[in-house]
């Protein structure tokens, strides 16, 4: 014969099990969202590192006198001893 206390214990167990499954589901959703956020941040980091590499290349080129002279000549400047001829 089943005692009334066992019914209450079964209900409490069922509620505890439902609560544990709910929390487990919540943790699964949180883990999925964190994985997406991590992927987005890693992509942003890769883009930032690529930008840093490009800027370092520009700084290195800016320190090169030949590169600077080429930039200035594209703007139409000439040296004092040179004569500018139109095409």
């Amino acid at each position: 014969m089943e005692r009334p206390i066992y019914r209450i214990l079964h209900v409490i167990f069922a509620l505890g099990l439902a609560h544990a499954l709910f929390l487990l589901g919540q943790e699964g959703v949180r883990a999925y969202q964190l994985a997406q956020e991590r992927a987005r941040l890693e992509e942003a980091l890769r883009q930032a590192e690529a930008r840093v590499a490009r800027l370092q290349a520009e700084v290195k080129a800016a320190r090169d006198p030949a590169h600077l002279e080429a930039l200035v000549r594209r703007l139409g400047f000439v040296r004092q001893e040179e004569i500018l001829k139109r095409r």
Side-chain angles (χ1 to χ4, degrees):
M1 196 145 94
E2 191 173 317
R3 292 181 170 176
I5 191 74
Y6 290 143
R7 287 184 190 156
I8 294 172
L9 290 176
H10 284 144
V11 169
I12 292 173
F13 176 75
L15 288 173
L17 184 61
H19 185 252
L21 289 174
F22 173 75
L23 290 177
L24 184 64
Q26 288 247 324
E27 287 301 315
V29 168
R30 184 177 294 144
Y32 176 73
Q33 290 172 342
L34 286 175
Q36 285 183 329
E37 180 73 9
R38 180 179 178 176
R40 185 187 67 78
L41 290 173
E42 285 176 350
E43 179 60 30
L45 178 63
R46 278 193 293 276
Q47 290 176 356
E49 287 172 344
R51 184 167 183 240
V52 166
R54 281 194 314 269
L55 290 173
Q56 286 176 341
E58 285 183 24
V59 167
K60 185 178 177 183
R63 292 182 179 151
D64 182 22
H67 178 74
L68 290 176
E69 183 177 350
L71 287 176
V72 170
R73 287 188 177 276
R74 272 191 241 150
L75 293 174
F77 289 91
V78 293
R79 293 187 181 179
Q80 282 183 337
E81 64 271 3
E82 295 178 336
I83 298 174
L84 180 64
K85 293 184 180 177
R86 292 204 179 256
R87 293 182 182 185

